[in-house]
Amino acid sequence: MKVRPPRLAPVRLDGLRDDASPDFRAGERYDGVRYSRAAADGLELGGIVFAECAFSGVSFNETQLRGASFRDCRVDEAYAPVLTAARSTLHDVEFSNPRWGSAELYGSGWQSVRIDGGKLDYVNLRGSRLADVLVSDCIINELDLGSATAARVALRNCTIGSLDLSGATLQDFDLRGTDLRSISGLGNLAGVVIDDYQLGLIAPLLAAHLGLVVA
């Protein structure tokens, strides 16, 4: 069976203008801007739209980003001990080395998203729709995909402490090469791709879930 990989559109940013002192406002749209070491901590920015923007060292700690939209953006070293962005939209977005603590992203829509490196403590993507997502070389303590819909998603060379797939609908969800500590929602593993080594690790969990007795 052939596994379909994520289809990622490259983010090309040309002719950006620099904004050293951004004045972010809820519901506003920002196009073609480069932000370096910008801080939006604690701001109410619901419904904000960023299109063709680049961020370097941005801080979104306790920023209210509910319903925010990021399109054709590159975000390097984003810092947010508390990230609040439920029902947000990410389309053609690249993250490099993010540092997120508690990330509330439930009900979000991700299309062509890449996360490379970084450390994420708790990522809540319950009820979200993910398509063409690649996460590589990332440490994730807890990843909650309960009731999410995901297609062509790959987690490569990652470490995941706890993965919740309860009620999820998955297609081409590739976990090969990722270190998994625990999985819940074993009844929703259809569409997940794992390697032989991972199968050996989760076999006892599958046996317990199915009520099998190995003697």
Side-chain angles (χ1 to χ4, degrees):
M1 177 180 175
K2 186 175 181 180
V3 181
R4 295 180 299 167
R7 300 194 296 257
L8 300 172
V11 177
R12 295 188 176 93
L13 301 174
D14 300 311
L16 301 182
R17 67 183 188 280
D18 293 305
D19 188 348
S21 302
D23 182 21
F24 298 131
R25 296 179 183 272
E28 295 293 327
R29 181 183 176 99
Y30 300 83
D31 290 89
V33 186
R34 180 186 293 108
Y35 302 102
S36 180
R37 302 298 170 187
D41 299 340
L43 297 181
E44 170 55 64
L45 299 179
I48 197 169
V49 177
F50 293 103
E52 297 184 3
C53 291
F55 299 83
S56 177
V58 65
S59 180
F60 283 126
N61 187 34
E62 297 189 352
T63 309
Q64 299 299 317
L65 289 165
R66 185 180 182 88
S69 179
F70 293 78
R71 296 180 179 272
D72 298 291
C73 290
R74 184 176 297 120
V75 186
D76 298 332
E77 297 183 351
Y79 174 76
V82 178
L83 179 61
T84 305
R87 308 196 186 285
S88 54
T89 299
L90 305 179
H91 197 294
D92 296 335
V93 179
E94 296 178 356
F95 292 95
S96 176
N97 242 5
R99 293 292 188 272
W100 300 345
S102 174
E104 294 293 344
L105 300 163
Y106 56 86
S108 297
W110 289 21
Q111 175 75 51
S112 184
V113 175
R114 177 168 186 163
I115 300 177
D116 185 18
K119 185 176 187 298
L120 316 178
D121 288 338
Y122 170 66
V123 182
N124 180 0
L125 282 164
R126 294 187 69 84
S128 295
R129 299 183 67 85
L130 313 177
D132 301 305
V133 176
L134 173 61
V135 184
S136 57
D137 301 303
C138 186
I139 298 173
I140 307 173
N141 288 338
E142 296 182 55
L143 177 57
D144 188 346
L145 291 171
S147 301
T149 300
R152 299 177 304 279
V153 174
L155 292 102
R156 296 176 184 164
N157 301 318
C158 295
T159 298
I160 301 177
S162 173
L163 175 61
D164 189 349
L165 299 176
S166 302
T169 302
L170 310 171
Q171 291 182 325
D172 299 296
F173 192 86
D174 193 350
L175 292 173
R176 290 174 295 179
T178 281
D179 181 10
L180 299 170
R181 307 295 172 81
S182 69
I183 300 179
S184 54
L186 293 171
N188 300 97
L189 286 178
V192 174
V193 182
I194 59 176
D195 55 38
D196 291 340
Y197 178 72
Q198 291 168 323
L199 178 59
L201 292 177
I202 69 172
L205 298 175
L206 288 172
H209 173 74
L210 295 172
L212 296 176
V213 177
V214 180

